[in-house]
Amino acid sequence: MSTIDFDSDNQIVSLYGKKSSYNLKLNSNSMPLHLHWGAKTCLSVKQSFFPANDRGFMILAKDRDSSYFAEEMQFEYGFAENGDFRVPAFRIRDGQNYPITGPFELTAHIYRGKNPIPGLPSARPGDTQVLETLELRMHDSNSGLWITLFYTMFPEYDAVTRHVRFHNEGSRPIKIEKAASISLDMYNWEYELLYLHGAWARERQLQRRPLQSGTTAFGSIRGISSHQFNPSFALVSPETTEFSGEAYGFSLVYSGNFLTELELNHDNNLRVNLGLHPDTFEWQLQPGDSFYTPEVLMIYSDEGLNGMSHNFHGFIRDHIFPPAFQNAERPILFNNWEATYFDFEERGLVELSNIAADVGVELFVLDDGWFGERNSDRTSLGDWSVNTAKLPNGLKGLAEEIEKRKLQFGLWLEPEMISLNSKLARAHPDWYISIPNRPVAEGRNQLVLDLSRSDVCEFLVATLDQILSSAPISYVKWDMNRYLTNVASPQFPASQQRELYHRYVLGLYHVLDEITAKYPKVLFEGCSGGGGRFDLGILYYMPQYWTSDNTDAVSRIKIQYGTSLFYPPVSMGAHVSAVPNHQVGRTTSLEFRGHTAMSGNFGYELDLRALSDAELRQITQQSAFYSQHRRLLQFGRFLRIKSPFESSEAAWMFVHSPESAEDSYDYFLLFWFRLHAEANPPSPRVKLAYLEEHAVYEQESSGLSYTGSELMHRGIILPQLEGDYVSQVFTFTKKGRFG
Ligand code: DGJ
């Protein structure tokens, strides 16, 4: 089946998804033009696609054999210096430092399949469907520059991936000052922007607002995608809800600095740019060389935000996660961080593992503090040899003890970092990022290794290899606890110093490529002080991520709700921790903490030795419940029902996805949370979704039954619970058909 149609007479290319299309037009002597992205559309060619008004004061751009008002056009990759005064997708200068302004000679090429992007993570083609790729090649004969736009449609998810290649076929270097991964000019049907903002321990809070004239921009210059803004966002119609209306989602497959620009201009055109942040980027493109931008995933849905999220979740599982984990159930883990912090030794860990095994945990993770002189965060990053005062039998001895309890063993590492107080820093003072002859700025008492250097990357690969082969380690928590600053590297000439932020990320991906290829079955969980680098670039290597350092169940409801807009629950590490909570000092019930954590990738992170027998029994029941429903919770369809950003309640459900081949679960789970009690409140009632209209569902605890249509259209009245921070999970099982 073909997904790309090329009408050569009219020079229109259409990429077709299940319910969507992406239509664009070629002008043989200029830039490709954007016609439509959204609900599946066939275009009549007997129309003029763009207004041709001279609004006064407009610049006539010159093509080879025509001219046009650039400001009136909708481009696929808008550029500067030709009379189009919107924020450009790219800025490039030739060997004379003159701007390259075209005209470009444009050709289209369509072929089967999708190739990887050299040096960068990108959507995996998978083997379930036949894919086609469109390449739009633009050639500037003056400089010898080729700019190629790549598009692949994944019809099942109404997903388009895009990226760009710059190739210098000329004889002089070309300077790339800005290179977004995507740019498109959409007519602004009063779109609203939905994006995720936050801070450390308060990541990915949902914000929705109308777009107004001018440029709305957000991004990161912290060296990582950041706690503050996520490189994913959506444009939605004003009437779009969780269940209906149009939603256009964007997510950058990249883990470093990024910029999103949304410019609404005088002609109600909305330019959307997403890609590398130009403030911290420049690239010298030498003759014969190519430069590739990161990829962007774009998803359309007319089934509201839940429809969009469903496509993102499925796409990420099938095309982003490493193959070994696309369909693999994840273990219930125990992590010792909030149980012991740095204060542990082997005997205590084994005691913890005994209890963990008894209560249903499957993976025991040893966090920070097992190496060098690491008894606080002031020392030893980089000295990855075991601290034998704490672990006299080494990692191997501990791991084997853990395995005797039928638990897998996992280990925390922070490979990208170095403490000034470490043997590594003393041996290699030139290995960390700093500006020569200027003071270094520490964050959490640590510095960042210079991954733009190949010797540093090779050291990391060898070190990781040595650790992973030294003991039976089946899981790694890969942490990263500071932003990048003072970025310079004497390894590179003056003209390339602005390449370093991007080169850092390329170095990181190189290390991850090497180590995950060598250890494809090791489960990696990403972490950056919680969720500071939660993006598709990392999920490509690490199919789960520590969602936030904030383990308070109340805060987590919002954090996980916001994160779920783009990322599936199976990717969100979520642990039950102690009360009063260590980040916010709040006390919530074990039940409430359990319900919140099992809505993500479930685990425990508290001192099990300090719990009563009754609490341990409750944990045993929780983990049994999670194991029983694991398939549904990790791979079912997740639906947001009630937003904690709009009221003091939240609800979501996990339902068997009808497209899935697994028909073993004819049931679903509904989670309901109330944060703050009020006197005489209205009875909680929610409408459910994605059920079979005529099926009869029985609710396990009450024995009451409902038709699917009743649950979806009339809603269900939930029992009134007393107090703050209360929650319930309801199991509904299909018991046949009504009538
Ligand atoms: C930050 C992480 O987010 C925590 O979970 C923990 O691993 C600490 N680092 C350890 O230093």
Side-chain angles (χ1 to χ4, degrees):
M1 194 196 74
S2 159
T3 59
I4 304 182
D5 178 61
F6 184 26
D7 169 357
S8 54
D9 291 345
N10 299 296
Q11 296 287 295
I12 291 177
V13 189
S14 299
L15 293 87
Y16 290 113
K18 205 156 72 177
K19 295 175 74 180
S20 67
S21 66
Y22 194 114
N23 313 82
L24 48 89
K25 184 163 170 57
L26 313 182
N27 272 352
S28 55
N29 283 329
S30 100
M31 308 291 288
L33 301 169
H34 182 73
L35 297 181
H36 170 76
W37 175 41
K40 205 178 235 179
T41 299
C42 299
L43 297 159
S44 156
V45 293
K46 294 202 175 136
Q47 65 149 307
S48 72
F49 289 108
F50 304 100
N53 306 325
D54 182 352
R55 298 168 185 281
F57 240 81
M58 292 180 83
I59 306 291
L60 205 55
K62 293 273 184 265
D63 248 345
R64 284 198 168 73
D65 49 24
S66 62
S67 50
Y68 57 94
F69 294 123
E71 277 188 276
E72 293 286 281
M73 312 300 267
Q74 287 173 262
F75 290 111
E76 278 294 314
Y77 204 56
F79 72 124
E81 306 281 355
N82 66 341
D84 176 353
F85 298 100
R86 291 166 287 190
V87 284
F90 67 102
R91 267 195 311 264
I92 300 191
R93 290 178 180 273
D94 66 15
Q96 280 288 105
N97 219 15
Y98 295 158
I100 295 181
T101 60
F104 293 92
E105 198 177 315
L106 175 63
T107 51
H109 306 263
I110 296 165
Y111 53 87
R112 276 268 163 110
K114 176 182 192 286
N115 296 320
I117 306 178
L120 288 164
S122 58
R124 306 168 198 272
D127 46 20
T128 51
Q129 50 190 340
V130 177
L131 298 178
E132 285 180 310
T133 296
L134 165 70
E135 281 188 29
L136 299 180
R137 297 184 195 153
M138 300 182 276
H139 183 228
D140 175 52
S141 50
N142 278 338
S143 61
L145 174 68
W146 286 88
I147 304 176
T148 305
L149 311 184
F150 293 78
Y151 301 74
T152 304
M153 171 66 85
F154 292 72
E156 186 187 348
Y157 294 112
D158 285 305
V160 178
T161 55
R162 286 183 59 178
H163 71 279
V164 185
R165 178 181 64 207
F166 297 86
H167 179 72
N168 183 354
E169 206 187 50
S171 56
R172 304 182 69 175
I174 287 173
K175 187 164 68 181
I176 308 174
E177 294 177 335
K178 179 176 185 183
S181 298
I182 60 155
S183 176
L184 72 159
D185 291 335
M186 300 167 73
Y187 183 76
N188 178 40
W189 296 105
E190 294 178 59
Y191 292 124
E192 295 182 353
L193 167 65
L194 200 61
Y195 64 126
L196 303 173
H197 71 103
W200 173 77
R202 188 167 49 79
E203 297 90 337
R204 290 175 297 285
Q205 307 290 301
L206 263 186
Q207 199 149 63
R208 178 170 177 165
R209 60 169 150 113
L211 288 165
Q212 289 174 335
S213 297
T215 304
T216 303
F218 60 91
S220 167
I221 52 164
R222 293 164 191 266
I224 59 176
S225 46
S226 90
H227 301 86
Q228 281 70 13
F229 293 103
N230 195 265
S232 305
F233 64 95
L235 297 172
V236 297
S237 304
E239 63 278 6
T240 296
T241 67
E242 284 289 3
F243 292 103
S244 65
E246 296 196 295
Y248 300 79
F250 302 81
S251 188
L252 182 63
V253 189
Y254 189 62
S255 312
N257 293 342
F258 75 95
L259 179 66
T260 303
E261 294 171 306
L262 301 154
E263 184 182 353
L264 184 55
N265 80 352
H266 58 260
D267 197 22
N268 207 22
N269 179 84
L270 181 63
R271 172 157 297 173
V272 182
N273 292 342
L274 172 60
L276 295 167
H277 201 307
D279 284 4
T280 54
F281 170 80
E282 198 173 274
W283 201 266
Q284 300 293 324
L285 193 62
Q286 299 299 333
D289 280 0
S290 294
F291 176 82
Y292 292 84
T293 71
E295 184 166 74
V296 167
L297 166 62
M298 303 164 62
I299 284 184
Y300 169 79
S301 173
D302 63 359
E303 291 179 45
L305 294 170
N306 272 314
M308 180 193 81
S309 300
H310 179 59
N311 284 351
F312 268 100
H313 297 178
F315 188 94
I316 290 170
R317 282 194 300 256
D318 290 353
H319 299 289
I320 297 290
F321 283 169
F325 295 97
Q326 288 173 351
N327 207 21
E329 290 185 10
R330 312 293 170 76
I332 300 175
L333 73 77
F334 171 84
N335 179 301
N336 76 310
W337 180 242
E338 287 199 17
T340 65
Y341 295 102
F342 294 105
D343 186 14
F344 61 81
E345 32 60 60
E346 183 179 306
R347 205 156 40 85
L349 295 175
V350 171
E351 262 171 49
L352 282 168
S353 73
N354 281 332
I355 309 175
D358 284 349
V359 297
V361 164
E362 297 153 332
L363 163 66
F364 185 94
V365 179
L366 174 58
D367 210 278
D368 195 356
W370 59 266
F371 53 93
E373 303 291 319
R374 185 85 170 163
N375 295 313
S376 75
D377 65 14
R378 309 195 72 81
T379 174
S380 297
L381 292 170
D383 296 348
W384 298 109
S385 52
V386 75
N387 179 331
T388 47
K390 288 180 174 179
L391 304 178
N393 300 303
L395 284 178
K396 188 157 188 282
L398 174 65
E400 284 171 358
E401 277 303 310
I402 303 284
E403 281 198 321
K404 281 187 201 152
R405 275 114 191 126
K406 304 261 176 300
L407 295 172
Q408 300 171 52
F409 179 67
L411 191 65
W412 177 96
L413 286 159
E414 196 177 359
E416 297 159 73
M417 296 292 145
I418 183 167
S419 305
L420 264 189
N421 184 12
S422 66
K423 289 185 194 147
L424 188 69
R426 285 185 285 275
H428 297 285
D430 53 340
W431 274 17
Y432 48 82
I433 296 177
S434 64
I435 304 173
N437 306 317
R438 292 189 190 274
V440 288
E442 288 176 79
R444 207 196 187 205
N445 310 301
Q446 62 195 55
L447 296 160
V448 185
L449 284 171
D450 183 354
L451 299 195
S452 68
R453 292 176 64 129
S454 54
D455 52 353
V456 175
C457 290
E458 293 329 314
F459 162 81
L460 279 190
V461 173
T463 306
L464 290 163
D465 188 16
Q466 189 270 319
I467 297 169
L468 291 178
S469 58
S470 71
I473 297 169
S474 61
Y475 161 106
V476 167
K477 177 175 173 187
W478 182 299
D479 208 345
M480 197 287 184
N481 284 302
R482 69 155 282 176
Y483 304 129
L484 273 62
T485 58
N486 310 88
V487 175
S489 183
Q491 296 276 303
F492 291 89
S495 60
Q496 285 184 274
Q497 289 297 314
R498 282 172 58 78
E499 298 179 1
L500 292 172
Y501 274 102
H502 183 55
R503 284 189 180 275
Y504 178 86
V505 183
L506 294 178
L508 171 67
Y509 290 151
H510 168 71
V511 172
L512 288 171
D513 271 325
E514 295 279 310
I515 209 70
T516 54
K518 181 134 196 214
Y519 295 93
K521 296 210 172 108
V522 172
L523 171 60
F524 284 80
E525 174 158 339
C527 177
S528 177
R533 200 165 55 178
F534 202 135
D535 55 60
L536 297 185
I538 294 296
L539 291 181
Y540 179 86
Y541 301 100
M542 311 194 198
Q544 55 195 61
Y545 208 95
W546 181 226
T547 314
S548 176
D549 272 351
N550 187 343
T551 56
D552 167 54
V554 176
S555 316
R556 274 302 189 107
I557 285 181
K558 281 190 176 171
I559 295 171
Q560 292 172 200
Y561 195 95
T563 306
S564 77
L565 198 63
F566 302 98
Y567 306 101
V570 70
S571 68
M572 295 182 214
H575 303 169
V576 172
S577 63
V579 288
N581 173 265
H582 294 190
Q583 292 77 41
V584 302
R586 188 173 2 237
T587 296
T588 54
S589 70
L590 187 51
E591 182 178 45
F592 186 88
R593 282 174 277 155
H595 288 160
T596 310
M598 69 177 64
S599 303
N601 194 319
F602 191 47
Y604 290 91
E605 185 165 339
L606 74 176
D607 191 347
L608 297 170
R609 296 166 300 191
L611 299 184
S612 66
D613 287 349
E615 286 171 317
L616 291 174
R617 272 198 302 280
Q618 203 179 339
I619 288 185
T620 311
Q621 284 162 8
Q622 278 178 353
S623 59
F625 181 87
Y626 186 77
S627 312
Q628 185 194 346
H629 300 295
R630 184 187 335 236
R631 193 77 214 161
L632 180 67
L633 290 166
Q634 296 189 349
F635 296 96
R637 179 174 194 148
F638 174 79
L639 292 162
R640 291 174 302 270
I641 301 287
K642 204 163 178 43
S643 171
F645 292 96
E646 287 164 13
S647 74
S648 195
E649 286 174 34
W652 49 68
M653 61 190 279
F654 291 85
V655 62
H656 164 53
S657 163
E659 305 98 272
S660 150
E662 313 250 0
D663 44 21
S664 54
Y665 1 78
D666 269 342
Y667 76 100
F668 66 90
L669 295 174
L670 168 68
F671 288 77
W672 177 77
F673 304 85
R674 196 180 55 220
L675 307 185
H676 297 112
E678 50 176 287
N680 200 5
S683 311
R685 189 191 281 229
V686 286
K687 282 184 181 178
L688 309 185
Y690 288 94
L691 303 176
E692 288 174 41
E693 294 266 346
H694 299 291
V696 174
Y697 295 93
E698 187 178 288
Q699 189 209 313
E700 217 166 72
S701 51
S702 68
L704 297 174
S705 55
Y706 308 81
T707 63
S709 55
E710 185 178 357
L711 291 169
M712 292 192 289
H713 310 313
R714 180 168 189 272
I716 174 173
I717 302 166
L718 302 172
Q720 191 66 272
L721 299 175
E722 284 195 352
D724 289 344
Y725 320 131
V726 285
S727 61
Q728 269 194 295
V729 55
F730 304 93
T731 310
F732 290 82
T733 310
K734 192 165 124 190
K735 293 279 175 189
R737 287 174 67 79
F738 181 69

